[in-house]
Amino acid sequence: MSTVALMWEARAADGRGAELLEWARAQVLAREPVRREVLRAPQDRVLVITWWEAAEGLAADLPELPEPAADLITRAVHRWRFESVEVEVEATGADTGGS
């Protein structure tokens, strides 16, 4: 089982940033992710990140936010998928703390 993060980012049409933000918050997915976070940025951009537990990793069939109405955005939505990676810690047995 791995954790997959889906990122969805859109830029609102001029003056419609608050509307795009509310639209993104109101979207109901087919099932609930482990975590969901909605962020905003300059230029009326909205970013939604959802985290999922998925045995299939990046190939998993996961619910995604749709495209908003064309008049609400300035360009097509950008989407990315990321899979968490375990960090391997090397055990040296020696204290290498600085002085």
Side-chain angles (χ1 to χ4, degrees):
M1 186 75 63
S2 64
T3 301
V4 175
L6 302 184
M7 296 178 63
W8 176 101
E9 186 263 343
R11 185 172 175 190
D14 286 342
R16 298 186 71 185
E19 188 178 346
L20 178 61
L21 181 62
E22 287 309 310
W23 180 92
R25 285 180 171 161
Q27 296 308 298
V28 176
L29 298 169
R31 63 183 199 267
E32 283 298 308
V34 172
R35 180 177 167 196
R36 178 176 176 162
E37 193 166 343
V38 180
L39 303 105
R40 64 181 175 187
Q43 301 175 329
D44 287 332
R45 289 179 290 141
V46 174
L47 174 66
V48 179
I49 307 172
T50 55
W51 285 264
W52 306 87
E53 292 300 324
E56 306 86 6
L58 292 174
D61 183 21
L62 301 169
E64 295 199 39
L65 285 141
E67 291 271 333
D71 65 335
L72 185 56
I73 55 178
T74 61
R75 57 167 167 73
V77 169
H78 292 178
R79 301 170 193 274
W80 302 273
R81 282 184 176 224
F82 294 90
E83 186 172 23
S84 62
V85 179
E86 285 189 35
V87 176
E88 293 184 27
V89 178
E90 212 173 289
T92 61
D95 181 6
T96 57
S99 6

